[in-house]
């Protein structure tokens, strides 16, 4: 019998093997490259490295940016700014900070949050409230999304509302715990507890999904990898 | 849970050795994980000091590292749930911007040595100002060289003119000389032909009592009727006087032409059936056949 934590640790290891240790499968171009090699390319400011990075991660980054800034026009600008920041700061990345994906995800997220906190942006979109933009994202047509994302979104939708609001305020709005406490009018201690609970809940929901998805994904990755090597 | 506990003794050993840092014990590790700071950390809510501590402890305790990884993965999956394809044209825009950045960085490497970012156009004027002294020197040097060159040209042109003049003169002299040589050669050839001709007869004229020591020679070719005179041995005639050669034909003197004393042979008038030759000293211009010799006959010789 496995505890949720154990099974997640197991799955995280499997995933990181599938995604990081073995060559990455870049879905659009079917180019295989190890993450360490990709980082080396990026640190040499090699254009091919950035093209690979874009092809592999642009959908994930763009989705997060769009979720934060809400309009496609601004999202495109922020996406460009984020890649410029990655270009300028790639030397400061090291594997101790997590995977490359975690790092660039944080760069994109921070760039987008900086944008919505800038004065010009706040003046332009003062009328929209938090409730509105949550609605906007949910109304979007999911045709573009990959199968994983649809499944994940359903799972995330299973979060309890107070946890979901909390994660979105922090993750998409860049709120500090103190700001959350003020915004939601709950004590700071409660916020801290709730952050932990929310993440734990999120993790267990995702673990449940991954138990179904990861074996399939690994099989496909492995199969494509072998196919590419044989041909 | 069993896996975690098996790992703890090694953690403890590491921790007891590390007395300077107040690292958590095995129970503290679980308490640390339970404290919620890792969740705060992956969400970027920790201070820089707390973040450094989390990363340091994660390196020391695999349990913390594993917990961090799983939390990060959960957030990644959460982020991926919003995955959306960007507009197709954004790829070229982003990669194009990075390409420009790469080129700019290369340019800045050059510019930075002079301590500033300048685009080439604005950096041009200071460059020419910087070169100004050297530039003036070159202009001065150029003008100097041009002047020297002009003077040199004038000098050489003068030399050329004088050389051309002298060359023209030399050519003229050469031509004259050549002509003279030609004339001379033609004369010598003719004289030689006369002398070598077997039908030419040599007539020695001897001085009469008027000029007992005088000598001259006539070469007469009766067939060709040509008369040549060698007069070099004669004394120059007095002023206003000129020698005149006469041929005696049928007992009568016939004018064969006046002559000046000179080297070589002089061709006189052609004569037919000359029997003898004589030379008289006449007034300049000589006499005629009709008038006959007026002055004294100084030489005479028969064929």
């Amino acid at each position: 019998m496995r505890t949720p934590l154990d099974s997640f640790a197991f799955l995280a290891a499997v995933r990181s093997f599938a995604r990081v240790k073995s060559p990455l499968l870049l879905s659009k171009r079917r180019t295989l490259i190890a993450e360490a090699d990709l980082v080396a390319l990026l640190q040499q400011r090699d254009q091919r490295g950035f093209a690979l990075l874009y092809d592999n991660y642009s959908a994930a980054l763009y989705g997060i940016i769009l979720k934060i800034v809400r309009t496609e026009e601004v999202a495109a600008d922020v996406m460009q700014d984020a890649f410029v920041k990655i270009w300028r700061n790639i030397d400061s990345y090291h594997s101790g900070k997590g995977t490359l994906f975690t790092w660039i995800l944080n760069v994109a997220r921070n760039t987008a949050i900086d944008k919505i906190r800038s004065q010009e942006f706040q003046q332009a979109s003062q009328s929209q409230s938090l409730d509105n933009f949550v609605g906007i994202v949910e109304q979007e047509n999911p045709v573009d999304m990959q199968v994983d994302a649809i499944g994940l979104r359903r799972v995330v939708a299973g979060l309890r509302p107070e946890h979901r609001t909390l994660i979105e305020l922090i993750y998409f709005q860049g709120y500090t715990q103190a700001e959350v406490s003020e915004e939601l009018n709950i004590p700071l201690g409660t916020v801290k507890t709730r952050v932990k609970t929310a993440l734990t809940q999120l993790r267990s929901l995702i673990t449940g999904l991954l138990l179904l998805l990861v074996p399939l994904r690994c099989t496909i990755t492995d199969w494509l990898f072998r196919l590419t090597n044989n041909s | 849970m069993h896996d975690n506990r098996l790992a703890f003794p090694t953690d403890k050993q590491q921790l007891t050795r590390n007395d300077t840092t107040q690292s958590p014990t095995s129970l503290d590790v679980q308490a640390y994980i339970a404290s919620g700071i890792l969740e705060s950390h992956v969400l970027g809510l920790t201070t820089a000091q707390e973040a450094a501590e989390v990363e340091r402890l994660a390196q020391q305790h695999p349990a913390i590292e594993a917990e961090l990884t799983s939390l990060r993965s959960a957030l990644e999956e959460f982020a991926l749930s919003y995955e959306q394809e960007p507009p197709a044209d954004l790829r070229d825009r982003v990669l194009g911007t990075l390409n420009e950045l790469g080129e700019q960085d290369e340019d800045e490497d050059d510019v930075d040595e002079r301590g500033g970012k300048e685009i080439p156009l604005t950096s041009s004027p200071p460059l020419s100002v910087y070169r100004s002294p050297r530039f003036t020197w070159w202009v001065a040097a150029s003008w100097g060289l041009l002047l020297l060159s002009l003077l040199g040209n004038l000098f050489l042109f003068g030399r050329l003119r004088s050389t051309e003049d002298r060359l023209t003169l030399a050519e003229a002299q050469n031509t004259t000389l050549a002509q003279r040589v030609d004339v001379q050669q033609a004369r010598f050839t003719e004289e030689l032909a006369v002398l070598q001709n077997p039908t030419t007869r040599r007539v020695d004229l001897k001085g009469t009592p008027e000029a007992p020591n005088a000598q001259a020679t006539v070469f007469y070719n009766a067939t060709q009727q040509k008369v040549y005179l060698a007069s070099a041995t004669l004394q120059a005639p007095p002023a206003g006087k000129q020698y005149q050669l006469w041929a005696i034909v049928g007992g009568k003197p016939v004018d064969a032409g006046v002559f000046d004393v000179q080297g070589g042979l002089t061709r006189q008038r052609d004569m037919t059936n000359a029997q003898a030759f004589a030379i008289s000293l006449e007034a300049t211009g000589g006499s005629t056949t009709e008038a006959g010799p007026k002055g004294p006959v100084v030489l005479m010789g028969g064929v």
Side-chain angles (χ1 to χ4, degrees):
Chain A
M1 278 203 14
R2 290 175 180 276
T3 65
L5 184 67
D6 280 344
S7 59
F8 194 90
F10 165 74
L11 287 171
V14 172
R15 284 203 61 144
S16 70
F17 177 78
R19 200 185 228 171
V20 181
K21 298 296 189 296
S22 74
L24 287 168
L25 174 68
L26 306 183
S27 52
K28 282 174 210 158
R29 300 185 169 229
R30 298 198 171 179
T31 310
L32 298 170
I33 185 169
E35 184 166 298
D37 293 341
L38 179 57
V39 170
L41 276 181
L42 298 179
Q43 287 180 343
Q44 288 159 19
R45 307 296 192 277
D46 192 313
Q47 291 295 325
R48 290 170 300 174
F50 284 91
L52 283 173
L53 189 75
Y54 188 94
D55 292 339
N56 202 30
Y57 294 123
S58 60
L61 299 185
Y62 187 75
I64 283 296
I65 291 169
L66 186 61
K67 170 76 177 163
I68 296 171
V69 303
R70 298 177 238 173
T71 63
E72 298 230 354
E73 193 185 349
V74 180
D77 288 344
V78 171
M79 184 83 157
Q80 174 162 329
D81 292 348
F83 268 89
V84 168
K85 278 189 184 173
I86 293 169
W87 169 281
R88 292 202 190 284
N89 299 312
I90 185 68
D91 288 331
S92 71
Y93 167 75
H94 58 86
S95 54
K97 291 182 178 176
T99 62
L100 178 65
F101 178 56
T102 300
W103 186 77
I104 62 169
L105 198 57
N106 280 330
V107 171
R109 193 167 66 89
N110 291 334
T111 309
I113 289 171
D114 286 349
K115 184 73 178 180
I116 59 165
R117 294 200 156 194
S118 70
Q119 219 170 3
E120 52 163 333
F121 188 90
Q122 295 219 331
Q123 280 167 355
S125 57
Q126 230 165 5
S127 56
Q128 278 189 307
S129 73
L130 178 63
D131 294 338
N132 285 340
F133 95 79
V134 172
I136 288 169
V137 173
E138 282 173 346
Q139 286 160 13
E140 277 163 9
N141 189 346
V143 167
D144 287 347
M145 277 182 264
Q146 295 180 357
V147 181
D148 277 9
I150 297 171
L152 276 169
R153 198 174 280 197
R154 282 192 187 134
V155 165
V156 172
L159 273 174
R160 287 170 62 184
E162 69 263 32
H163 292 151
R164 186 172 174 182
T165 307
L166 190 68
I167 290 179
E168 284 183 341
L169 276 179
I170 294 169
Y171 198 72
F172 294 134
Q173 300 275 288
Y175 275 47
T176 64
Q177 281 153 316
E179 284 168 339
V180 172
S181 163
E182 200 177 320
E183 172 83 19
L184 300 181
N185 200 19
I186 48 176
L188 185 60
T190 311
V191 172
K192 285 183 175 173
T193 317
R194 208 176 273 181
V195 164
K196 180 171 166 53
T197 318
L199 262 191
T200 311
Q201 195 200 352
L202 176 69
R203 180 169 62 179
S204 53
L205 283 171
I206 288 168
T207 306
L209 180 69
L210 293 184
L211 279 172
L212 298 173
L213 276 182
V214 167
L216 181 66
R217 204 194 240 181
C218 285
T219 311
I220 293 170
T221 308
D222 191 47
W223 179 73
L224 281 173
F225 182 52
R226 282 184 191 168
L227 192 74
T228 317
N229 275 5
N230 288 342
S231 62
Chain B
M1 283 307 202
H2 278 288
D3 290 339
N4 282 346
R5 274 183 187 157
L6 279 174
F8 285 156
T10 47
D11 285 346
K12 264 182 187 170
Q13 282 165 9
Q14 282 178 348
L15 295 176
T16 46
R17 269 187 231 129
N18 231 345
D19 290 327
T20 48
T21 49
Q22 286 192 330
S23 298
T25 62
S26 61
L27 286 175
D28 289 340
V29 168
Q30 287 195 313
Y32 191 73
I33 291 172
S35 73
I37 190 159
L38 300 184
E39 283 82 356
S40 297
H41 179 65
V42 295
L43 280 169
L45 296 170
T46 45
T47 63
Q49 196 185 343
E50 286 171 329
E53 190 192 39
V54 169
E55 282 179 20
R56 182 175 59 82
L57 290 173
Q59 282 184 339
Q60 290 174 0
H61 304 286
I64 296 178
E65 173 72 40
E67 180 72 9
L68 268 183
T69 304
S70 82
L71 286 172
R72 280 191 185 125
S73 298
L75 268 185
E76 282 180 18
E77 297 300 336
F78 174 69
L80 282 170
S81 74
Y82 294 97
E83 201 167 58
Q84 184 167 342
E85 287 294 329
D89 59 336
L90 187 57
R91 184 179 191 273
D92 287 344
R93 193 181 137 190
V94 167
L95 294 179
T97 305
L98 295 185
N99 205 11
E100 283 171 24
L101 270 179
E103 284 164 9
Q104 271 177 24
D105 284 352
E106 281 169 22
D107 291 345
E108 279 169 21
D109 286 345
D110 302 334
V111 176
D112 278 350
E113 288 172 16
R114 292 195 282 118
K117 295 178 188 174
E118 287 177 277
I119 55 171
L121 268 179
T122 56
S123 67
S124 285
L127 206 65
S128 70
V129 168
Y130 170 72
R131 283 189 180 170
S132 181
R134 209 196 294 173
F135 183 68
T136 312
W137 194 90
W138 277 113
V139 168
S142 302
W143 278 109
L145 282 174
L146 183 63
L147 218 67
L148 274 175
S149 172
L150 280 173
L151 285 172
N153 278 342
L154 275 173
F155 172 71
L156 288 175
F157 182 65
R159 290 274 299 260
L160 179 68
R161 289 270 305 260
S162 77
T163 306
E164 272 179 348
D165 288 349
R166 282 187 287 169
L167 179 64
T168 310
L169 194 69
E171 274 177 347
Q173 286 173 340
N174 194 21
T175 308
T176 313
L177 209 62
Q179 284 171 348
R180 217 182 286 166
V181 167
D182 284 346
V183 170
Q184 205 94 338
Q185 181 147 17
R187 228 179 80 191
F188 286 153
T189 308
E190 194 186 351
E191 286 172 1
L192 198 61
V194 172
L195 294 174
Q196 283 176 336
N197 195 326
T199 56
T200 301
R201 295 201 51 183
R202 174 189 172 122
V203 182
D204 288 323
L205 304 182
K206 291 201 166 58
T208 59
E210 294 282 331
N213 297 324
Q215 275 191 318
T217 311
V218 167
F219 295 92
Y220 175 56
N221 190 317
T223 318
Q224 294 171 349
Q225 303 164 2
K226 286 176 179 173
V227 178
Y228 295 90
L229 172 68
S231 60
T233 51
L234 284 175
Q235 283 185 333
K241 300 283 183 181
Q242 205 175 12
Y243 289 114
Q244 187 169 11
L245 180 66
W246 300 88
I248 310 300
V249 182
K252 283 181 178 176
V254 177
D255 172 27
V258 295
F259 63 90
D260 296 323
V261 175
Q262 57 183 325
L265 300 176
T266 52
R267 188 175 176 181
Q268 301 299 119
R269 287 185 184 148
D270 292 356
M271 286 296 153
T272 318
N273 299 323
Q275 295 153 333
F277 291 95
I279 294 172
S280 65
L281 193 61
E282 301 292 334
T284 303
S287 181
T288 58
T289 304
E290 290 74 31
K294 288 173 181 166
V297 173
V298 287
L299 289 121
M300 191 178 272
V303 176

